[in-house]
Amino acid sequence: MRDIEIVERFLESGVNLHPRVLDEIKKSENVEETISRLLTIVRRSKPSVLTPELIHGEESHEEPPAVEVRRRRKRTEAEEHDSELVIRRGSDVTGRSLGQGNIESFVSYFSSRYERLSSILRSRKELREAQTVERVLSGAQREVSLIGMVSDIRTSRKGNLILELEDPTGSLPVIVLSEDRELMQAVREVTKDEVLGVVGFLSNGGNMLIAKEIFFPDLPHREPRRSESPVAVALISDVHAGSTKFMREVFLRFIRWLRGELGTRRQRELAGRVKYVFVGGDLVDGVGIYPEQKEELLVKDIQEQYALFARMLEKLPEHVEVVVLPGNHDAARQAEPQPAIEEEFAPELYENPGVHMVGNPCFARVHGVEVVSYHGRSLDDIIASIPGLSYTSPARAMQILLRKRHLSPIYGGRVPLAPELVDHLVLEEPPEILHMGHVHRTEVTSYRGTLVVNSGTFQEQTEFQRRMNIQPTPGRVPIVDLQSMRTTIMRFV
Ligand code: D5M
Ligand code: FE
Ligand code: ZN
């Protein structure tokens, strides 16, 4: 479709197109589908210009709440509606980690990953006939399809890329020819230990595959499920209580806003819908996490740090349910999946009936909406291994994890993986909301019907981040209305 035709489609609905939106439309896989999706947004919010911000839910960046009220209002929406929170304990290793840590458990861990992801891949028509490595090597067919785990990525002397694909029957080198520009571009996103599908030709010698197409497990395009009740979730992480850089006043403003004590009428109305708070890890700064951390600690005892955090949470309204998972600064096993923060370190959190202590990642269903909350440490490995990604845009890295249908694919990088019998880090069911933190930058985008949210932090830039040139965005909290699936980023700084 020509540019002018696209622009006219929107002018007919009385709206101008921002040039970046036009670009996005042109780049999308299915132009017609994208146009009709955007026209729905136009009908709903009737803007005069359709901007990228409007599409990605960032139009609602709010100024700091300024008006203060003390009068108690009528019951809020969040009070009116009963809780509907289901935490899927089946994929939570708290109290039931099953791996033995020996070679056999790694074998069963990776074969579980292979099985779960290959069954997702096999649902694509191009891969329905996928064969095992053994069959490919012994068969007579030239054009074949195959599903395998990437065990190695290397560049040949001629500049071709070689992916070593492994399945339970063997291993086969898959060549991406350097002159195949499009495919070369696509394989930039490939990382070690993910599971992919390939369609290709057997080489003349018959011992390697020349790739024609590759497939990520990816998400299907779909309409998100929504809540029938007007309730919302606040997504936070990386509070880092106990750090000298923890912004206590800012965090307390967030709590006071949730209590209905701050903000304009509209902002207080939104606060009144917030029935759930997900805390995606790094509640406290911890101790001995990095060299010379002592210099940046206000509270040097980890139990005290949790007590400080717990005291702030006690100020939340009673009807708010808090789901708490650990991050890499917390007192929990570091290998992923992580069990919940240990009770002996945070007894006050366990005593609070409104707080649910869960493992990382957490799979939850809130009013029918699937939420996956994961601290996000694998973003370090993803950002380091895929060209073009950076700490500035964690949501892009999160999108790539969605395409891989795995929260933490790379083994042997910075993230230690525990060899559980089942790979709980596979995204078996496409979630409506994927929530991560760790990167300390608030960012919201959407990808094929999944809302992708990085929740930012309440910690100012640390010395380490200054040296690494990481610019955090503290005090911005994404609030997702589960009925409309719209996101508002509230600013408390
Ligand atoms: O991590 C906060 C941010 O700092 C996050 O963007 C990752 C980055 N970070 C933390 N540690 C490292 C190391 N060792 N190398 C590179 N980047 C790092 P947090 O876990 O909250 O402290
Ligand atoms: Fe953090
Ligand atoms: Zn972290």
Side-chain angles (χ1 to χ4, degrees), residues 97-106 108-109 333 418-421:
S97 169
L98 291 171
Q100 300 290 316
N102 51 21
I103 300 276
E104 289 78 28
S105 35
F106 275 103
S108 70
Y109 171 73
R333 171 179 91 178
E420 298 292 332
L421 295 182

Side-chain angles (χ1 to χ4, degrees), residues 238 240 280-282 327-329 375-377 380 437-440:
D238 300 275
H240 291 267
D282 286 1
N328 54 309
H329 285 249
H375 179 61
R377 199 172 175 186
D380 286 336
H438 185 58
V439 177
H440 294 209

